[in-house]
Amino acid sequence: MKWSRRLVNVAATYLAGLCAIATAWASDGAPSAFDLLFRSDVRLPVRTVLLTAREEGWRIEYRFTASSNGGKEIAICAESKPIILAAGADVALRVTSEDVIHTLSIPELDVTIDAIPGRLNERVVKPAKAGRLVAQATIEKAGKTTRKAMELIILDPTAYKSWIEKASQTQACTAE
C-alpha cells in the first residue's frame, strides 16, 4: 500500500512538470516563466509601465531601472492620463486590475492584453515611430460591455528623456 501512494506522488510530480513545459511551448511568443528560469539569453526591458485598471480609470506607473537613467531608479505615477512611450525602445507593459476584468487593446502595436484582478500580465512592445495612437479599454461587468478610448503618445527618444526628467519631479510615486 505504501509503495502505491509513493508511485502516485511521483507520477503526479512528473505530470505537473510536463504540464509546465507544455504551457511554456504553447505561449504566443512572450517569455514564459519556463523561459525566464532556464534561459540566460532572455533580458527584460529596462523600461516598465504598470497599468492598473479600475472602473473609474487607469493608474499608470512608469518604472525605469538605474541602467537606463544614469544610475538612479525612477518611478512616475499618473491617473487616467495618456500613456507615454518612447519610439524605438522596448517597454514591458504590465497590466492588472483592482476590480473586474478589463481588456486593453492597442491595434497599431498588435497588443491585446487582459487586466485581471490578482494577476499580472505582460507584453513587451517596441513602438516604431513617434506619434499618437488610440487604445481601447473594455470592461465586462454583469453582462454589460463598456468601452473607453485611451490615448497613447509615442515620443522620439530626446523628447521622451525630457518628459522623464520633468515628470519625475512633478509626478513621483508615493509609497502605498
Side-chain angles (χ1 to χ4, degrees):
M1 193 69 135
K2 280 186 177 181
W3 65 270
S4 64
R5 278 192 220 150
R6 184 168 171 79
L7 181 62
V8 168
N9 287 339
V10 169
T13 301
Y14 282 112
L15 182 60
L18 289 173
C19 288
I21 290 170
T23 301
W25 283 328
S27 69
D28 64 350
S32 67
F34 181 82
D35 291 333
L36 296 175
L37 285 172
F38 296 106
R39 287 182 43 199
S40 60
D41 62 330
V42 174
R43 292 184 357 185
L44 295 176
V46 294
R47 294 166 195 84
T48 300
V49 179
L50 175 62
L51 301 160
T52 304
R54 297 177 301 212
E55 286 187 69
E56 62 271 8
W58 289 68
R59 180 175 192 269
I60 307 162
E61 184 176 322
Y62 302 86
R63 294 276 175 183
F64 306 96
T65 63
S67 63
S68 68
N69 288 304
K72 61 180 179 177
E73 291 194 15
I74 296 176
I76 300 169
C77 292
E79 297 283 338
S80 299
K81 292 188 177 186
I83 300 169
I84 311 290
L85 301 176
D90 285 337
V91 62
L93 296 178
R94 293 181 176 168
V95 298
T96 189
S97 173
E98 290 183 356
D99 44 33
V100 297
I101 296 174
H102 300 249
T103 300
L104 179 65
S105 177
I106 311 168
E108 292 87 350
L109 297 179
D110 195 29
V111 170
T112 299
I113 190 166
D114 290 329
I116 301 170
R119 184 171 173 183
L120 192 62
N121 288 325
E122 179 179 306
R123 284 290 299 270
V124 177
V125 298
K126 186 175 187 176
K129 60 183 180 177
R132 292 183 181 269
L133 305 176
V134 176
Q136 186 76 32
T138 306
I139 303 169
E140 298 284 339
K141 183 177 177 186
K144 182 181 173 190
T145 302
T146 305
R147 291 180 176 82
K148 295 180 183 179
M150 293 177 63
E151 185 179 19
L152 273 82
I153 300 174
I154 313 299
L155 300 174
D156 65 74
T158 305
Y160 191 70
K161 187 174 181 179
S162 295
W163 174 80
I164 291 171
E165 290 172 6
K166 182 180 175 187
S168 65
Q169 295 171 5
T170 61
Q171 300 177 46
C173 295
T174 57
E176 294 183 0

Short mmCIF file of all heavy atoms in Angstrom, two decimals, residues 80-143:
data_model
loop_
_atom_site.label_atom_id
_atom_site.label_comp_id
_atom_site.label_asym_id
_atom_site.label_seq_id
_atom_site.Cartn_x
_atom_site.Cartn_y
_atom_site.Cartn_z
N SER A 80 -5.29 58.25 -15.07
CA SER A 80 -6.14 58.48 -16.25
C SER A 80 -5.58 59.53 -17.20
O SER A 80 -6.30 60.42 -17.65
CB SER A 80 -7.55 58.86 -15.79
OG SER A 80 -8.10 57.81 -15.05
N LYS A 81 -4.31 59.45 -17.47
CA LYS A 81 -3.67 60.34 -18.44
C LYS A 81 -3.24 59.51 -19.63
O LYS A 81 -3.29 58.28 -19.60
CB LYS A 81 -2.46 61.03 -17.80
CG LYS A 81 -2.85 62.01 -16.71
CD LYS A 81 -1.64 62.80 -16.26
CE LYS A 81 -2.08 63.81 -15.22
NZ LYS A 81 -1.00 64.70 -14.85
N PRO A 82 -2.76 60.18 -20.69
CA PRO A 82 -2.25 59.38 -21.82
C PRO A 82 -1.06 58.52 -21.38
O PRO A 82 -0.31 58.88 -20.48
CB PRO A 82 -1.78 60.45 -22.82
CG PRO A 82 -2.51 61.68 -22.45
CD PRO A 82 -2.73 61.60 -20.97
N ILE A 83 -0.91 57.39 -22.04
CA ILE A 83 0.25 56.52 -21.81
C ILE A 83 1.37 57.06 -22.68
O ILE A 83 1.19 57.26 -23.89
CB ILE A 83 -0.09 55.06 -22.17
CG1 ILE A 83 -1.25 54.55 -21.32
CG2 ILE A 83 1.14 54.18 -22.02
CD1 ILE A 83 -1.83 53.22 -21.79
N ILE A 84 2.52 57.31 -22.09
CA ILE A 84 3.66 57.87 -22.80
C ILE A 84 4.71 56.77 -23.01
O ILE A 84 5.13 56.13 -22.05
CB ILE A 84 4.31 59.04 -22.01
CG1 ILE A 84 3.27 60.04 -21.53
CG2 ILE A 84 5.42 59.69 -22.82
CD1 ILE A 84 2.63 60.86 -22.59
N LEU A 85 5.11 56.55 -24.25
CA LEU A 85 6.12 55.55 -24.58
C LEU A 85 7.19 56.18 -25.47
O LEU A 85 6.95 57.22 -26.09
CB LEU A 85 5.49 54.36 -25.30
CG LEU A 85 4.39 53.60 -24.58
CD1 LEU A 85 3.82 52.51 -25.48
CD2 LEU A 85 4.88 53.02 -23.28
N ALA A 86 8.35 55.55 -25.55
CA ALA A 86 9.45 56.03 -26.39
C ALA A 86 9.49 55.26 -27.70
O ALA A 86 9.36 54.03 -27.71
CB ALA A 86 10.78 55.88 -25.66
N ALA A 87 9.69 55.97 -28.78
CA ALA A 87 9.84 55.33 -30.08
C ALA A 87 11.17 54.59 -30.13
O ALA A 87 12.18 55.08 -29.63
CB ALA A 87 9.76 56.37 -31.19
N GLY A 88 11.16 53.40 -30.70
CA GLY A 88 12.38 52.63 -30.90
C GLY A 88 12.94 51.95 -29.67
O GLY A 88 14.05 51.44 -29.71
N ALA A 89 12.19 51.94 -28.57
CA ALA A 89 12.69 51.33 -27.33
C ALA A 89 11.72 50.26 -26.83
O ALA A 89 10.51 50.45 -26.88
CB ALA A 89 12.87 52.40 -26.25
N ASP A 90 12.28 49.14 -26.36
CA ASP A 90 11.45 48.09 -25.76
C ASP A 90 10.89 48.59 -24.45
O ASP A 90 11.58 49.23 -23.65
CB ASP A 90 12.28 46.84 -25.47
CG ASP A 90 12.60 46.05 -26.72
OD1 ASP A 90 11.86 46.18 -27.71
OD2 ASP A 90 13.59 45.30 -26.71
N VAL A 91 9.63 48.28 -24.21
CA VAL A 91 8.99 48.59 -22.93
C VAL A 91 8.08 47.42 -22.57
O VAL A 91 7.40 46.87 -23.42
CB VAL A 91 8.21 49.93 -22.97
CG1 VAL A 91 7.08 49.88 -23.97
CG2 VAL A 91 7.68 50.29 -21.60
N ALA A 92 8.12 47.04 -21.30
CA ALA A 92 7.24 45.98 -20.81
C ALA A 92 5.95 46.62 -20.32
O ALA A 92 5.98 47.47 -19.42
CB ALA A 92 7.92 45.22 -19.69
N LEU A 93 4.84 46.27 -20.93
CA LEU A 93 3.52 46.72 -20.45
C LEU A 93 3.01 45.63 -19.53
O LEU A 93 2.77 44.50 -19.96
CB LEU A 93 2.55 46.91 -21.61
CG LEU A 93 2.88 47.99 -22.64
CD1 LEU A 93 1.83 47.99 -23.74
CD2 LEU A 93 2.95 49.36 -21.97
N ARG A 94 2.85 45.95 -18.25
CA ARG A 94 2.32 45.01 -17.28
C ARG A 94 0.95 45.52 -16.85
O ARG A 94 0.83 46.67 -16.45
CB ARG A 94 3.24 44.89 -16.07
CG ARG A 94 4.56 44.27 -16.42
CD ARG A 94 5.45 44.12 -15.23
NE ARG A 94 6.67 43.42 -15.64
CZ ARG A 94 7.74 43.34 -14.89
NH1 ARG A 94 7.76 43.89 -13.71
NH2 ARG A 94 8.80 42.71 -15.34
N VAL A 95 -0.05 44.66 -16.92
CA VAL A 95 -1.41 45.09 -16.59
C VAL A 95 -2.02 44.21 -15.51
O VAL A 95 -1.74 43.01 -15.43
CB VAL A 95 -2.34 45.12 -17.83
CG1 VAL A 95 -1.84 46.10 -18.87
CG2 VAL A 95 -2.50 43.75 -18.43
N THR A 96 -2.82 44.85 -14.68
CA THR A 96 -3.59 44.16 -13.65
C THR A 96 -4.86 44.97 -13.42
O THR A 96 -5.04 46.03 -14.02
CB THR A 96 -2.77 43.99 -12.34
OG1 THR A 96 -3.50 43.12 -11.47
CG2 THR A 96 -2.50 45.31 -11.66
N SER A 97 -5.73 44.48 -12.56
CA SER A 97 -6.98 45.17 -12.28
C SER A 97 -7.26 45.14 -10.78
O SER A 97 -6.87 44.20 -10.10
CB SER A 97 -8.13 44.50 -13.03
OG SER A 97 -9.37 45.05 -12.63
N GLU A 98 -7.94 46.17 -10.33
CA GLU A 98 -8.34 46.22 -8.92
C GLU A 98 -9.77 45.75 -8.70
O GLU A 98 -10.18 45.55 -7.57
CB GLU A 98 -8.20 47.65 -8.37
CG GLU A 98 -6.77 48.09 -8.22
CD GLU A 98 -6.65 49.47 -7.60
OE1 GLU A 98 -7.68 50.14 -7.37
OE2 GLU A 98 -5.51 49.89 -7.35
N ASP A 99 -10.57 45.63 -9.77
CA ASP A 99 -11.99 45.33 -9.57
C ASP A 99 -12.51 44.20 -10.46
O ASP A 99 -12.74 43.11 -10.00
CB ASP A 99 -12.84 46.59 -9.72
CG ASP A 99 -12.44 47.45 -10.91
OD1 ASP A 99 -12.02 46.89 -11.94
OD2 ASP A 99 -12.56 48.68 -10.82
N VAL A 100 -12.71 44.45 -11.74
CA VAL A 100 -13.26 43.45 -12.66
C VAL A 100 -12.27 43.24 -13.80
O VAL A 100 -11.24 43.91 -13.88
CB VAL A 100 -14.64 43.90 -13.22
CG1 VAL A 100 -15.65 44.02 -12.10
CG2 VAL A 100 -14.53 45.20 -13.99
N ILE A 101 -12.59 42.33 -14.71
CA ILE A 101 -11.71 42.07 -15.85
C ILE A 101 -11.85 43.21 -16.86
O ILE A 101 -12.95 43.59 -17.26
CB ILE A 101 -12.04 40.72 -16.50
CG1 ILE A 101 -11.76 39.58 -15.52
CG2 ILE A 101 -11.23 40.53 -17.79
CD1 ILE A 101 -12.17 38.22 -16.01
N HIS A 102 -10.70 43.74 -17.27
CA HIS A 102 -10.62 44.76 -18.31
C HIS A 102 -9.76 44.19 -19.43
O HIS A 102 -8.91 43.34 -19.20
CB HIS A 102 -9.92 46.02 -17.78
CG HIS A 102 -10.60 46.66 -16.62
ND1 HIS A 102 -11.24 47.87 -16.71
CD2 HIS A 102 -10.72 46.28 -15.33
CE1 HIS A 102 -11.72 48.20 -15.52
NE2 HIS A 102 -11.42 47.25 -14.66
N THR A 103 -9.94 44.68 -20.64
CA THR A 103 -9.09 44.31 -21.75
C THR A 103 -8.53 45.58 -22.38
O THR A 103 -9.28 46.52 -22.64
CB THR A 103 -9.86 43.51 -22.82
OG1 THR A 103 -10.38 42.32 -22.21
CG2 THR A 103 -8.98 43.12 -23.98
N LEU A 104 -7.23 45.61 -22.58
CA LEU A 104 -6.57 46.74 -23.22
C LEU A 104 -6.13 46.30 -24.60
O LEU A 104 -5.42 45.31 -24.75
CB LEU A 104 -5.36 47.20 -22.40
CG LEU A 104 -4.57 48.37 -22.97
CD1 LEU A 104 -5.42 49.64 -23.00
CD2 LEU A 104 -3.30 48.60 -22.16
N SER A 105 -6.55 47.05 -25.61
CA SER A 105 -6.20 46.72 -26.99
C SER A 105 -5.55 47.93 -27.65
O SER A 105 -6.09 49.04 -27.61
CB SER A 105 -7.47 46.34 -27.75
OG SER A 105 -7.18 46.07 -29.10
N ILE A 106 -4.36 47.70 -28.23
CA ILE A 106 -3.64 48.74 -28.97
C ILE A 106 -3.35 48.14 -30.35
O ILE A 106 -2.30 47.52 -30.56
CB ILE A 106 -2.34 49.15 -28.26
CG1 ILE A 106 -2.59 49.44 -26.78
CG2 ILE A 106 -1.70 50.36 -28.95
CD1 ILE A 106 -1.32 49.56 -25.95
N PRO A 107 -4.27 48.29 -31.30
CA PRO A 107 -4.13 47.62 -32.59
C PRO A 107 -2.83 47.97 -33.34
O PRO A 107 -2.21 47.09 -33.94
CB PRO A 107 -5.35 48.10 -33.39
CG PRO A 107 -6.33 48.53 -32.35
CD PRO A 107 -5.53 49.02 -31.19
N GLU A 108 -2.40 49.22 -33.30
CA GLU A 108 -1.20 49.64 -34.03
C GLU A 108 0.07 48.96 -33.51
O GLU A 108 1.06 48.87 -34.21
CB GLU A 108 -1.02 51.16 -33.99
CG GLU A 108 -2.08 51.93 -34.77
CD GLU A 108 -3.32 52.21 -33.93
OE1 GLU A 108 -3.46 51.67 -32.81
OE2 GLU A 108 -4.18 52.97 -34.41
N LEU A 109 0.05 48.51 -32.25
CA LEU A 109 1.21 47.82 -31.67
C LEU A 109 0.97 46.32 -31.58
O LEU A 109 1.76 45.60 -30.99
CB LEU A 109 1.52 48.38 -30.28
CG LEU A 109 1.93 49.86 -30.22
CD1 LEU A 109 2.18 50.28 -28.78
CD2 LEU A 109 3.15 50.12 -31.08
N ASP A 110 -0.16 45.86 -32.14
CA ASP A 110 -0.53 44.45 -32.13
C ASP A 110 -0.60 43.90 -30.69
O ASP A 110 -0.08 42.83 -30.40
CB ASP A 110 0.44 43.63 -32.97
CG ASP A 110 -0.09 42.24 -33.28
OD1 ASP A 110 -1.33 42.08 -33.37
OD2 ASP A 110 0.72 41.31 -33.41
N VAL A 111 -1.25 44.67 -29.81
CA VAL A 111 -1.37 44.28 -28.40
C VAL A 111 -2.83 44.17 -28.01
O VAL A 111 -3.62 45.07 -28.24
CB VAL A 111 -0.69 45.33 -27.48
CG1 VAL A 111 -1.01 45.07 -26.03
CG2 VAL A 111 0.81 45.34 -27.70
N THR A 112 -3.17 43.04 -27.43
CA THR A 112 -4.43 42.85 -26.72
C THR A 112 -4.07 42.08 -25.47
O THR A 112 -3.49 40.99 -25.55
CB THR A 112 -5.46 42.07 -27.54
OG1 THR A 112 -5.74 42.81 -28.74
CG2 THR A 112 -6.75 41.88 -26.77
N ILE A 113 -4.37 42.67 -24.31
CA ILE A 113 -3.95 42.06 -23.05
C ILE A 113 -5.04 42.27 -22.00
O ILE A 113 -5.65 43.33 -21.95
CB ILE A 113 -2.58 42.64 -22.61
CG1 ILE A 113 -2.00 41.88 -21.43
CG2 ILE A 113 -2.67 44.13 -22.35
CD1 ILE A 113 -0.53 42.20 -21.18
N ASP A 114 -5.29 41.23 -21.21
CA ASP A 114 -6.32 41.29 -20.18
C ASP A 114 -5.75 41.76 -18.86
O ASP A 114 -4.67 41.34 -18.45
CB ASP A 114 -6.96 39.92 -19.97
CG ASP A 114 -7.81 39.50 -21.15
OD1 ASP A 114 -8.39 40.38 -21.82
OD2 ASP A 114 -7.90 38.29 -21.41
N ALA A 115 -6.50 42.63 -18.20
CA ALA A 115 -6.18 43.07 -16.84
C ALA A 115 -7.14 42.32 -15.92
O ALA A 115 -8.34 42.57 -15.93
CB ALA A 115 -6.36 44.58 -16.70
N ILE A 116 -6.60 41.40 -15.15
CA ILE A 116 -7.40 40.51 -14.31
C ILE A 116 -7.03 40.75 -12.85
O ILE A 116 -5.84 40.78 -12.52
CB ILE A 116 -7.15 39.04 -14.70
CG1 ILE A 116 -7.50 38.83 -16.18
CG2 ILE A 116 -7.92 38.08 -13.80
CD1 ILE A 116 -7.06 37.49 -16.74
N PRO A 117 -8.03 40.90 -11.97
CA PRO A 117 -7.71 41.11 -10.54
C PRO A 117 -6.83 39.98 -10.00
O PRO A 117 -7.08 38.80 -10.26
CB PRO A 117 -9.08 41.11 -9.86
CG PRO A 117 -10.05 41.48 -10.94
CD PRO A 117 -9.48 40.90 -12.21
N GLY A 118 -5.76 40.37 -9.30
CA GLY A 118 -4.89 39.38 -8.68
C GLY A 118 -3.88 38.74 -9.62
O GLY A 118 -3.16 37.83 -9.24
N ARG A 119 -3.84 39.20 -10.86
CA ARG A 119 -2.92 38.60 -11.83
C ARG A 119 -2.17 39.71 -12.57
O ARG A 119 -2.72 40.76 -12.83
CB ARG A 119 -3.72 37.77 -12.83
CG ARG A 119 -2.86 37.03 -13.79
CD ARG A 119 -3.70 36.06 -14.59
NE ARG A 119 -2.87 35.47 -15.62
CZ ARG A 119 -3.32 34.64 -16.52
NH1 ARG A 119 -4.57 34.29 -16.52
NH2 ARG A 119 -2.52 34.16 -17.43
N LEU A 120 -0.94 39.45 -12.93
CA LEU A 120 -0.12 40.41 -13.65
C LEU A 120 0.22 39.83 -15.02
O LEU A 120 0.89 38.81 -15.11
CB LEU A 120 1.16 40.69 -12.86
CG LEU A 120 2.01 41.87 -13.29
CD1 LEU A 120 1.23 43.18 -13.15
CD2 LEU A 120 3.27 41.94 -12.44
N ASN A 121 -0.29 40.45 -16.08
CA ASN A 121 0.00 40.01 -17.44
C ASN A 121 0.97 41.00 -18.08
O ASN A 121 0.92 42.19 -17.79
CB ASN A 121 -1.28 39.91 -18.27
CG ASN A 121 -2.13 38.74 -17.85
OD1 ASN A 121 -1.61 37.69 -17.47
ND2 ASN A 121 -3.43 38.90 -17.88
N GLU A 122 1.82 40.51 -18.96
CA GLU A 122 2.85 41.36 -19.53
C GLU A 122 3.01 41.13 -21.03
O GLU A 122 2.92 40.00 -21.51
CB GLU A 122 4.19 41.08 -18.85
CG GLU A 122 5.34 41.90 -19.41
CD GLU A 122 6.65 41.64 -18.71
OE1 GLU A 122 6.70 41.74 -17.47
OE2 GLU A 122 7.62 41.31 -19.40
N ARG A 123 3.24 42.21 -21.75
CA ARG A 123 3.62 42.19 -23.17
C ARG A 123 4.74 43.19 -23.36
O ARG A 123 4.68 44.29 -22.84
CB ARG A 123 2.46 42.60 -24.07
CG ARG A 123 1.39 41.58 -24.30
CD ARG A 123 1.80 40.38 -25.13
NE ARG A 123 2.22 40.67 -26.47
CZ ARG A 123 1.42 40.71 -27.53
NH1 ARG A 123 0.13 40.50 -27.38
NH2 ARG A 123 1.90 40.96 -28.72
N VAL A 124 5.74 42.82 -24.12
CA VAL A 124 6.83 43.74 -24.44
C VAL A 124 6.54 44.30 -25.83
O VAL A 124 6.27 43.56 -26.76
CB VAL A 124 8.19 43.02 -24.41
CG1 VAL A 124 9.31 43.98 -24.83
CG2 VAL A 124 8.47 42.47 -23.02
N VAL A 125 6.58 45.63 -25.93
CA VAL A 125 6.33 46.30 -27.20
C VAL A 125 7.51 47.22 -27.53
O VAL A 125 8.28 47.61 -26.65
CB VAL A 125 5.01 47.13 -27.17
CG1 VAL A 125 3.82 46.24 -26.93
CG2 VAL A 125 5.07 48.23 -26.15
N LYS A 126 7.60 47.56 -28.81
CA LYS A 126 8.63 48.47 -29.28
C LYS A 126 8.00 49.35 -30.36
O LYS A 126 8.00 49.00 -31.53
CB LYS A 126 9.83 47.71 -29.83
CG LYS A 126 11.00 48.58 -30.21
CD LYS A 126 12.18 47.72 -30.64
CE LYS A 126 13.41 48.55 -30.85
NZ LYS A 126 14.57 47.69 -31.17
N PRO A 127 7.43 50.51 -29.95
CA PRO A 127 6.81 51.40 -30.95
C PRO A 127 7.85 51.84 -31.97
O PRO A 127 8.96 52.23 -31.60
CB PRO A 127 6.31 52.58 -30.12
CG PRO A 127 6.27 52.09 -28.71
CD PRO A 127 7.33 51.04 -28.60
N ALA A 128 7.50 51.80 -33.25
CA ALA A 128 8.45 52.10 -34.31
C ALA A 128 8.71 53.60 -34.49
O ALA A 128 9.84 54.00 -34.71
CB ALA A 128 7.96 51.50 -35.62
N LYS A 129 7.66 54.42 -34.40
CA LYS A 129 7.84 55.84 -34.67
C LYS A 129 6.99 56.69 -33.74
O LYS A 129 6.02 56.22 -33.15
CB LYS A 129 7.50 56.14 -36.12
CG LYS A 129 6.07 55.81 -36.49
CD LYS A 129 5.81 56.06 -37.95
CE LYS A 129 4.36 55.71 -38.27
NZ LYS A 129 4.01 55.98 -39.63
N ALA A 130 7.40 57.96 -33.63
CA ALA A 130 6.69 58.90 -32.78
C ALA A 130 5.31 59.21 -33.38
O ALA A 130 5.11 59.14 -34.59
CB ALA A 130 7.50 60.19 -32.63
N GLY A 131 4.35 59.54 -32.49
CA GLY A 131 3.01 59.88 -32.94
C GLY A 131 1.99 59.62 -31.85
O GLY A 131 2.33 59.33 -30.70
N ARG A 132 0.73 59.72 -32.22
CA ARG A 132 -0.37 59.48 -31.29
C ARG A 132 -1.14 58.24 -31.74
O ARG A 132 -1.42 58.08 -32.92
CB ARG A 132 -1.30 60.67 -31.22
CG ARG A 132 -0.67 61.88 -30.58
CD ARG A 132 -1.67 63.04 -30.48
NE ARG A 132 -1.04 64.19 -29.89
CZ ARG A 132 -1.02 64.46 -28.58
NH1 ARG A 132 -1.61 63.64 -27.74
NH2 ARG A 132 -0.44 65.55 -28.12
N LEU A 133 -1.47 57.40 -30.77
CA LEU A 133 -2.25 56.20 -31.03
C LEU A 133 -3.46 56.20 -30.11
O LEU A 133 -3.47 56.88 -29.08
CB LEU A 133 -1.41 54.94 -30.76
CG LEU A 133 -0.08 54.80 -31.48
CD1 LEU A 133 0.64 53.55 -31.01
CD2 LEU A 133 -0.28 54.76 -32.98
N VAL A 134 -4.45 55.40 -30.47
CA VAL A 134 -5.63 55.25 -29.62
C VAL A 134 -5.74 53.79 -29.19
O VAL A 134 -5.69 52.88 -30.02
CB VAL A 134 -6.92 55.68 -30.35
CG1 VAL A 134 -8.14 55.43 -29.48
CG2 VAL A 134 -6.84 57.14 -30.76
N ALA A 135 -5.84 53.59 -27.88
CA ALA A 135 -6.06 52.26 -27.32
C ALA A 135 -7.52 52.14 -26.93
O ALA A 135 -8.19 53.14 -26.68
CB ALA A 135 -5.17 52.06 -26.09
N GLN A 136 -8.00 50.92 -26.87
CA GLN A 136 -9.38 50.65 -26.48
C GLN A 136 -9.36 49.88 -25.16
O GLN A 136 -8.77 48.81 -25.08
CB GLN A 136 -10.07 49.82 -27.56
CG GLN A 136 -11.54 49.60 -27.35
CD GLN A 136 -12.35 50.84 -27.68
OE1 GLN A 136 -12.00 51.61 -28.54
NE2 GLN A 136 -13.43 51.04 -26.99
N ALA A 137 -9.99 50.43 -24.13
CA ALA A 137 -10.13 49.75 -22.84
C ALA A 137 -11.56 49.25 -22.75
O ALA A 137 -12.51 50.03 -22.88
CB ALA A 137 -9.81 50.70 -21.70
N THR A 138 -11.72 47.96 -22.52
CA THR A 138 -13.04 47.33 -22.46
C THR A 138 -13.26 46.74 -21.07
O THR A 138 -12.36 46.10 -20.53
CB THR A 138 -13.16 46.22 -23.51
OG1 THR A 138 -12.84 46.75 -24.79
CG2 THR A 138 -14.57 45.64 -23.55
N ILE A 139 -14.44 46.98 -20.51
CA ILE A 139 -14.81 46.43 -19.21
C ILE A 139 -16.03 45.53 -19.41
O ILE A 139 -17.01 45.93 -20.03
CB ILE A 139 -15.19 47.55 -18.20
CG1 ILE A 139 -14.05 48.54 -18.03
CG2 ILE A 139 -15.60 46.95 -16.86
CD1 ILE A 139 -14.46 49.78 -17.25
N GLU A 140 -15.94 44.31 -18.89
CA GLU A 140 -17.07 43.38 -18.89
C GLU A 140 -17.56 43.27 -17.46
O GLU A 140 -16.83 42.83 -16.59
CB GLU A 140 -16.64 42.00 -19.39
CG GLU A 140 -16.15 41.97 -20.81
CD GLU A 140 -17.27 42.06 -21.82
OE1 GLU A 140 -18.43 41.77 -21.49
OE2 GLU A 140 -16.97 42.45 -22.97
N LYS A 141 -18.82 43.71 -17.21
CA LYS A 141 -19.35 43.63 -15.86
C LYS A 141 -20.85 43.36 -15.93
O LYS A 141 -21.59 44.11 -16.56
CB LYS A 141 -19.09 44.94 -15.11
CG LYS A 141 -19.57 44.90 -13.68
CD LYS A 141 -19.23 46.20 -12.96
CE LYS A 141 -19.80 46.16 -11.56
NZ LYS A 141 -19.62 47.42 -10.87
N ALA A 142 -21.26 42.31 -15.27
CA ALA A 142 -22.67 41.94 -15.17
C ALA A 142 -23.34 41.86 -16.55
O ALA A 142 -24.44 42.36 -16.75
CB ALA A 142 -23.41 42.91 -14.26
N GLY A 143 -22.64 41.29 -17.52
CA GLY A 143 -23.21 41.12 -18.85
C GLY A 143 -23.21 42.38 -19.69
O GLY A 143 -23.71 42.39 -20.80
#
